[in-house]
Amino acid sequence: MLTAVLKKEVLYGKIACRLFMAGVFVSLITLGAFVRIPLPFTPVPLTLQTFFVLLSAVTMGRGWGVLVQVFYLALGISGVSVFAYTGSGMLYLAGPTGGYLFGFLPAVLFVGGLSKRAEKSFILLAGLLTLGGMFILLTGTLWLKLLTGSTFRAAFLIGFVPFAIVEAVKAVLAASVYMKLRHRMREILG
């Protein structure tokens, strides 16, 4: 009986830890939205959001990582100012950054689903996170094309090219942070 009680406590403890970490990542993604650099040639600012989105995917895995993104987007849609430029609401998502924000979900599904295989090698993990970041940029670029009615080339030049190198650097940094913390995260999150 004592073993069953202990297992139950461990299970509830792991769930509590995961919920806490999900809240931490929602907060970090929000803070990442406020660290922004406006670029004069594009309506999309450079932010730290994707660093934390990618880190949440590799740390929390596919299921919990998606939960983090859904909760973040739900907060913003409900009116809490969690998006860049203290934006919120459905109208904000119809703007130039909406495609990037919605790109968080499939990127986390992709990265979270493959991260356990890739975490054995820093190079593989950094490559996976870079691909996830490029996927976010691509969804944002496609949204810009639809929103502006421009050609794909024009949208690519303002929505992808200015961010690609910075996105790769953020992915490498996220991989580095994760590699340093992964053993402790496994202990905490199970």
Side-chain angles (χ1 to χ4, degrees):
M1 179 155 157
L2 180 61
T3 306
V5 170
L6 289 175
K7 285 182 180 178
K8 189 176 181 181
E9 286 179 5
V10 168
L11 175 66
Y12 288 138
K14 297 292 181 186
I15 291 171
C17 286
R18 288 184 183 125
L19 286 170
F20 175 76
M21 284 303 295
V24 166
F25 275 115
V26 169
S27 299
L28 290 171
I29 294 166
T30 300
L31 290 173
F34 295 114
V35 178
R36 64 186 181 282
I37 300 170
L39 302 175
F41 49 85
T42 178
V44 179
L46 185 63
T47 71
L48 279 181
Q49 286 172 293
T50 53
F51 172 82
F52 295 115
V53 168
L54 297 171
L55 191 57
S56 74
V58 72
T59 302
M60 304 284 297
R62 177 185 281 189
W64 282 91
V66 167
L67 183 67
V68 167
Q69 307 317 312
V70 167
F71 190 65
Y72 172 73
L73 291 172
L75 277 175
I77 290 168
S78 70
V80 179
S81 298
V82 296
F83 301 142
Y85 300 111
T86 64
S88 65
M90 284 299 293
L91 191 58
Y92 185 89
L93 293 177
T97 60
Y100 299 92
L101 294 170
F102 281 118
F104 291 176
L105 291 166
V108 167
L109 279 169
F110 173 71
V111 170
L114 295 174
S115 62
K116 290 296 176 214
R117 292 184 194 129
E119 74 177 9
K120 293 172 179 65
S121 160
F122 174 77
I123 300 292
L124 285 176
L125 186 62
L128 176 65
L129 294 176
T130 300
L131 284 174
M134 296 304 136
F135 187 81
I136 293 169
L137 292 180
L138 185 60
T139 59
T141 299
L142 292 172
W143 178 250
L144 279 174
K145 179 194 177 321
L146 291 172
L147 187 68
T148 62
S150 64
T151 64
F152 179 77
R153 183 178 187 279
F156 188 76
L157 289 173
I158 65 167
F160 191 98
V161 172
F163 305 101
I165 291 173
V166 175
E167 198 60 44
V169 169
K170 288 190 280 185
V172 169
L173 290 174
S176 180
V177 167
Y178 177 74
M179 293 299 270
K180 290 194 185 311
L181 299 176
R182 71 181 168 169
H183 297 296
R184 183 68 179 134
M185 287 294 119
R186 277 196 206 124
E187 289 174 13
I188 293 169
L189 299 174

